[in-house]
Amino acid sequence: MTGSSKPETIVLHAGYRADPTTGSVAVPLYQTTSYQFRDTQHAADLFALKELGNIYTRLMNPTNDVLEQRVAALDGGVAAVAVGSGQAATTFSILNIAQAGDNIVSSTDLYGGTWNLFANTFKQMGIEVRFADPTDPENFRRLTDDKTRAYYAETLPNPKLQVFPIREVANIGDEFGIPLIIDNTAAPVLCRPIDHGASIVMYSTTKFIAGHGTSVGGIVIDSGKFDWEKHAKRFPLLNEPDPSYHGAVWTQAVKPIGPVAYAIKLRCTMLRDLGAAASPFNSFQTIQGMETLPLRMERHCENANTVAEFLSTHPKVTKVIHPSMQDGESRRRADTYLKGGYGSLMGFELSGGKSAGETFINSLEMFYHVANIGDTRSLAIHPATTTHSQLSEKDRLSSGVTDGYVRLSIGIEHIDDILADLKQALDKA
Ligand code: PLP
């Protein structure tokens, strides 16, 4: 590793240099479930965490390890744990520190899958999620009490695409000793939430990080900056003997390794017990995609800015939702937290309402009509008849999805072809 702090170099070199036995320059795919122990002492030391090393692929894998080191380096973290999906990353990031009877405070502006997990599944598990409108960061303080274990938010949540006030909420968390967990799925490279005070960052690597739309995956990054020991009363899961690991106290057990208690516990308990392991093949694919992530983000953002300008002057478009089109506090937050572009997600409203939205989508020739974001290809969906169709009209409108709202994820095709496809579909809508 070169030790570079530049994203373009990190994605090619962090965590791996030519394979010592074969000289392989590409990161090898270690498609194995298990690892031969040298002898019984070696095996015992690995299980007792006296020595770090490979035991079983549900817990760790050398291909996953390169991805983990690369993503941790990209975001300025000390360690990362790759898992089977973005949903698993969100789930583990919270279950690692919260149990029945606890609560977390989350932004209202969330991916629908996360909303369901928080409002329903966590509730069934006895973890209360209190929802705070991020327009006013003080809402997080108002909902905090002795049982609050984390704040949670997305950097650039769709459909509103209003950047989250990371530093403002992290500062409130500092006062109480509460870590801020940020889902940075929509803004890799553009934003490094740890630089703005976040303690934990997670991604659905399924989206921009992998880019090619071949592999579902997720990752949780530990900044190493949160002092779990100082706030021992709030975090018993990290500071009291863990009966599932021969009474280990995680903050003490990892001291010789570094400030990685959160990451090590997540690997040793969440992956061991809940089992949503990352597939090495998917990690291999994600590593290939990630090599071009900074370059792709540049082009995604450049194309998206041009599309936003084009749409904003189109007679059938009443509103364009993209940070480049915002002003006031939303724009200030976008300019503070996003560097090098405003992301490739965008929404717009058609004057013709629901039927115009449907006609527009059905008329697209190059854009794919899918429930996904962050692919190299341009994507579109009409949320009112798909992703948000199960919500009541009131809830749908308050989430920012009007009848004529269309969501775009602008890809890296030539801008002329992107504009031509949008133009011919708008002509019919
Ligand atoms: N977070 C965000 C912002 C997402 O958009 C998604 C998926 O769309 C997820 C998390 C969940 O990721 P995955 O689909 O990899 O489980």
Side-chain angles (χ1 to χ4, degrees):
M1 171 52 187
T2 63
S4 171
S5 62
K6 308 289 184 206
E8 294 81 353
T9 309
I10 288 172
V11 294
L12 293 166
H13 295 287
Y16 180 79
R17 195 68 199 169
D19 180 68
T21 48
T22 63
S24 167
V25 170
V27 177
L29 166 55
Y30 288 96
Q31 191 69 20
T32 182
T33 56
S34 32
Y35 308 86
Q36 160 92 339
F37 304 124
R38 289 194 301 271
D39 49 38
T40 50
Q41 187 60 49
H42 179 221
D45 286 349
L46 289 176
F47 275 87
L49 293 179
K50 285 188 187 146
E51 185 182 334
L52 290 182
N54 297 316
I55 298 175
Y56 186 61
T57 285
R58 172 151 40 80
L59 299 169
M60 73 284 282
N61 171 279
T63 307
N64 295 353
D65 178 58
V66 176
L67 177 64
E68 289 164 349
Q69 291 195 50
R70 250 167 223 190
V71 177
L74 186 67
D75 266 273
V78 290
V81 183
V83 296
S85 67
Q87 280 302 104
T90 303
T91 307
F92 289 5
S93 73
I94 290 158
L95 291 186
N96 202 36
I97 46 176
Q99 55 190 326
D102 294 343
N103 69 70
I104 67 161
V105 181
S106 168
S107 168
T108 44
D109 295 354
L110 291 174
Y111 161 62
T114 307
W115 180 276
N116 255 328
L117 170 70
F118 286 1
N120 300 305
T121 302
F122 274 178
K123 193 172 170 189
Q124 287 156 18
M125 296 166 91
I127 297 172
E128 182 196 355
V129 181
R130 303 172 173 184
F131 292 101
D133 178 350
T135 321
D136 180 4
E138 287 298 314
N139 286 331
F140 281 75
R141 183 195 303 281
R142 287 182 199 113
L143 294 170
T144 300
D145 64 18
D146 287 351
K147 290 280 184 187
T148 305
R149 302 293 178 246
Y151 293 158
Y152 187 96
E154 293 178 21
T155 307
L156 181 58
N158 75 81
K160 289 182 189 160
L161 297 174
Q162 286 173 346
V163 171
F164 183 76
I166 302 176
R167 171 64 67 190
E168 292 87 332
V169 174
N171 284 349
I172 296 171
D174 281 349
E175 289 178 39
F176 292 100
I178 293 173
L180 172 62
I181 304 175
I182 290 284
D183 178 345
N184 200 39
T185 299
V189 183
L190 309 179
C191 179
R192 297 212 323 170
I194 292 172
D195 293 347
H196 304 289
S199 298
I200 309 295
V201 176
M202 56 79 36
Y203 287 98
S204 163
T205 57
T206 316
K207 319 291 177 186
F208 293 97
I209 291 190
H212 301 142
T214 65
S215 305
V216 171
I219 201 158
V220 183
I221 305 160
D222 184 347
S223 71
K225 292 187 173 156
F226 191 85
D227 192 342
W228 305 102
E229 232 182 313
K230 183 172 166 200
H231 305 290
K233 258 184 110 176
R234 205 179 273 282
F235 298 102
L237 292 178
L238 283 165
N239 287 287
E240 287 175 12
D242 184 342
S244 84
Y245 222 95
H246 48 75
V249 174
W250 291 105
T251 47
Q252 306 305 317
V254 307
K255 275 218 166 123
I257 310 168
V260 290
Y262 177 93
I264 298 264
K265 177 185 176 291
L266 195 146
R267 184 184 300 288
C268 293
T269 65
M270 296 287 107
L271 275 178
R272 179 196 61 189
D273 300 346
L274 300 174
S279 139
F281 182 71
N282 282 6
S283 294
F284 175 79
Q285 293 275 46
T286 303
I287 287 167
Q288 310 313 308
M290 195 182 165
E291 291 191 346
T292 57
L293 175 66
L295 271 178
R296 281 187 283 111
M297 291 311 289
E298 263 179 50
R299 183 59 63 85
H300 276 298
C301 292
E302 194 185 309
N303 283 352
N305 279 350
T306 310
V307 169
E309 275 169 37
F310 162 75
L311 290 173
S312 67
T313 56
H314 197 283
K316 288 186 181 170
V317 174
T318 53
K319 192 173 175 189
V320 179
I321 298 120
H322 185 247
S324 69
M325 294 281 142
Q326 291 165 356
D327 49 24
E329 178 59 10
S330 302
R331 181 58 175 263
R332 187 199 67 76
R333 288 179 186 173
D335 287 334
T336 303
Y337 296 114
L338 303 181
K339 296 287 174 241
Y342 295 113
S344 86
L345 304 182
M346 183 177 311
F348 68 94
E349 283 172 24
L350 283 160
S351 53
K354 213 170 193 163
S355 68
E358 284 172 310
T359 311
F360 170 81
I361 295 282
N362 288 330
S363 306
L364 288 166
E365 289 168 5
M366 185 183 77
F367 275 67
Y368 279 90
H369 178 201
V370 294
N372 192 22
I373 58 167
D375 198 290
T376 46
R377 290 153 278 252
S378 290
L379 316 173
I381 197 159
H382 181 232
T385 52
T386 56
T387 51
H388 289 62
S389 59
Q390 279 133 28
L391 298 184
S392 69
E393 192 175 340
K394 187 168 157 276
D395 286 352
R396 175 166 63 77
L397 293 175
S398 75
S399 81
V401 174
T402 55
D403 285 350
Y405 182 98
V406 173
R407 184 182 82 193
L408 303 177
S409 175
I410 303 299
I412 58 172
E413 302 94 340
H414 195 285
I415 187 63
D416 292 352
D417 295 318
I418 294 174
L419 293 178
D421 197 26
L422 291 172
K423 191 169 174 313
Q424 64 79 24
L426 279 167
D427 285 347
K428 294 173 189 138

